[in-house]
Amino acid sequence: MRALRKNGQTSRAEVTNITGWSRAKTSQEVNALIEKGYLMDVGEGVSKGGRKPRLLRFNSQLGYVVGIDIGATSLEIALADVNGSILRRLVEPTDVRQPPEDILGRCSVLIVEMAVAQGFHPEQILGIGVGVPGPVDFARGVLVAPPLMPDWENYSIRNFFRETFTSAFVVVDNDVNIMALGEQRSGDAADVDHFLVIKIGTGIGCGIMCNRKIHRGSTGSAGDVGHICVDQQGPICRCGNRGCLEAMAAGPAIAEKAMQAARDGKSELLQKMMEENGNVLTPEDVNAACREGDEAALEIIRASGKMIGDVLAGLVNFFNPSHIFIGGGITNFGNHLLVAIKRAVLRRSLPLATTNLAINYSRTGSDAGVLGAIMLALEYLFVVEDDLHYSF
Ligand SMILES: [Zn+2]
């Protein structure tokens, strides 16, 4: 089951290797699972000289899984079969400051609609993976002191979904961890053992893939790099402390600095844009001004990149990843941001740590979240007690 969840398919020989069973015993056990309808043979695999092994997959009729990626302003849901092939997906705007019952209730309605449209009963949903934009106590599946969504504190997302989808195993994780899982499944990280995913948007978070497993830490808060202090005298952050990276360099800080530059008369373009926009600027406006060659906007984006890069340099020295993938709302900011980040990392990290280090924007982009939520659900599909103790 573990090999299947990881690779989508496996062979009898691999099952023999993993379990240490004899070939006869493997054959007997596999055949029993095929007879029960859990597994199916899928023709010929790749030849390694000699006979071509037949491959095994989950019987895709067995059931379905759902991936939910709840962002601060949007909600994405995908329905997949037990092999992880996406059957349906949808995105709609949301506001995560609403009470959890409202947003999760909307998710339930959409999931049931998708199931019916696909022609199956919601009872056939075996797993639901949920990503949320806040700190998650992974073992309990609840948010703890989430700055963006205070009403969700300690709310059991698991129990909510279990009431409607009684056969489903529900797993909750933070948005960056599911991005890392999505990157591992379909992105450039498929064969990477140690990598980081940095999400830069309203906040800044980090997903840590260590030995091909998500590192969540003892309570699930590993990777909360947005609250690393970069300036003791900096502005007050959502968390209550001063000068956190997120308060200094994320989307809202970029917009705030641009509005200040406009008010100070440092950029005619930003001033003009602000007047046209009803006296506000968004991070996208700053990006647009930067593309037009506006020096003040360029300076703001470079400064953000440098601060993020300085913190990343510390992470690189500490964790020694081979790849860093940068995602989130800010990834359309182009080269200036990326170059500033890379420069700071290269300047401040140890040479051995940066020899083979690749830092790039994630190419999986916004798909990574919902894909990862499906992977999260699949990870706990047909879970056995031993796995549970290990992971929770
Ligand atoms: Zn903070």
Side-chain angles (χ1 to χ4, degrees):
M1 290 299 183
R2 247 175 259 150
L4 279 172
R5 281 195 294 259
K6 188 165 151 258
N7 305 324
Q9 56 190 23
T10 189
S11 63
R12 284 169 174 75
E14 196 177 0
V15 176
T16 307
N17 285 341
I18 291 172
T19 56
W21 292 338
S22 68
R23 278 167 64 179
K25 162 104 169 155
T26 300
S27 185
Q28 188 190 341
E29 295 288 337
V30 165
N31 290 341
L33 286 171
I34 291 176
E35 265 167 42
K36 282 180 186 159
Y38 280 96
L39 300 181
M40 56 194 287
D41 271 313
V42 283
E44 310 272 277
V46 181
S47 171
K48 274 187 186 167
R51 280 184 305 166
K52 292 181 179 178
R54 280 178 300 163
L55 292 176
L56 296 162
R57 301 196 77 175
F58 283 125
N59 178 357
S60 54
Q61 305 293 310
L62 200 59
Y64 302 87
V65 295
V66 176
I68 306 174
D69 181 14
I70 301 175
T73 56
S74 73
L75 171 69
E76 185 161 3
I77 301 179
L79 188 67
D81 65 22
V82 283
N83 290 304
S85 302
I86 292 183
L87 307 167
R88 275 170 195 271
R89 61 192 289 177
L90 62 81
V91 190
E92 68 171 41
T94 192
D95 182 350
V96 85
R97 288 168 298 185
Q98 293 174 63
E101 294 86 357
D102 293 6
I103 292 180
L104 299 178
R106 178 67 187 151
C107 289
S108 287
V109 169
L110 292 169
I111 294 167
V112 171
E113 279 175 13
M114 287 166 106
V116 170
Q118 194 64 31
F120 67 85
H121 195 272
E123 277 288 302
Q124 288 171 270
I125 292 173
L126 303 177
I128 301 178
V130 190
V132 286
V136 173
D137 179 337
F138 188 71
R140 291 192 298 135
V142 299
L143 285 136
V144 178
L148 271 182
M149 42 211 298
D151 288 354
W152 294 61
E153 166 94 42
N154 272 323
Y155 185 86
S156 178
I157 298 172
R158 244 185 235 165
N159 289 350
F160 183 92
F161 282 123
R162 273 187 192 153
E163 275 176 28
T164 311
F165 307 101
T166 47
S167 320
F169 193 90
V170 183
V171 197
V172 183
D173 207 342
N174 74 50
D175 53 347
V176 201
N177 284 350
I178 63 166
M179 270 176 73
L181 285 170
E183 204 66 51
Q184 184 181 45
R185 170 72 171 199
S186 76
D188 297 330
D191 295 314
V192 183
D193 293 340
H194 309 286
F195 68 87
L196 300 177
V197 170
I198 306 290
K199 184 179 184 185
I200 312 170
T202 312
I204 297 178
C206 176
I208 305 164
M209 191 65 76
C210 180
N211 264 327
R212 295 182 178 241
K213 284 199 161 157
I214 294 278
H215 173 77
R216 296 186 173 90
S218 63
T219 56
S221 78
D224 218 341
V225 301
H227 301 284
I228 291 176
C229 180
V230 293
D231 181 359
Q232 305 262 9
Q233 263 69 52
I236 301 266
C237 175
R238 291 183 298 187
C239 73
N241 291 319
R242 258 186 199 285
C244 295
L245 176 66
E246 157 169 330
M248 303 280 295
I254 288 175
E256 187 50 53
K257 283 189 213 168
M259 288 190 273
Q260 194 56 49
R263 283 185 225 111
D264 294 348
K266 285 184 182 158
S267 158
E268 277 177 30
L269 180 60
L270 288 174
Q271 224 166 0
K272 188 168 148 262
M273 289 171 105
M274 198 162 148
E275 276 162 25
E276 285 166 3
N277 284 357
N279 219 24
V280 287
L281 286 172
T282 64
E284 289 70 30
D285 295 331
V286 188
N287 186 28
C290 186
R291 286 217 177 112
E292 301 267 315
D294 185 86
E295 274 299 322
L298 178 60
E299 200 33 60
I300 290 166
I301 287 176
R302 277 197 185 135
S304 267
K306 183 181 176 301
M307 281 185 271
I308 294 166
D310 283 347
V311 168
L312 278 185
L315 303 182
V316 165
N317 283 340
F318 180 74
F319 178 63
N320 189 201
S322 64
H323 290 68
I324 297 176
F325 300 98
I326 297 171
I330 225 162
T331 42
N332 51 4
F333 272 43
N335 241 357
H336 294 300
L337 182 74
L338 191 60
V339 167
I341 291 175
K342 281 185 179 177
R343 218 174 256 160
V345 172
L346 289 177
R347 198 180 50 235
R348 299 189 68 112
S349 303
L350 295 172
L352 181 60
T354 54
T355 309
N356 293 313
L357 176 65
I359 305 174
N360 287 301
Y361 284 131
S362 158
R363 291 197 295 170
T364 320
S366 57
D367 282 355
V370 80
L371 264 176
I374 286 173
M375 294 319 297
L376 186 65
L378 287 174
E379 229 172 87
Y380 292 93
L381 199 62
F382 314 123
V383 81
V384 290
E385 282 293 308
D386 284 355
D387 282 355
L388 271 181
H389 287 304
Y390 179 73
S391 303
F392 278 82

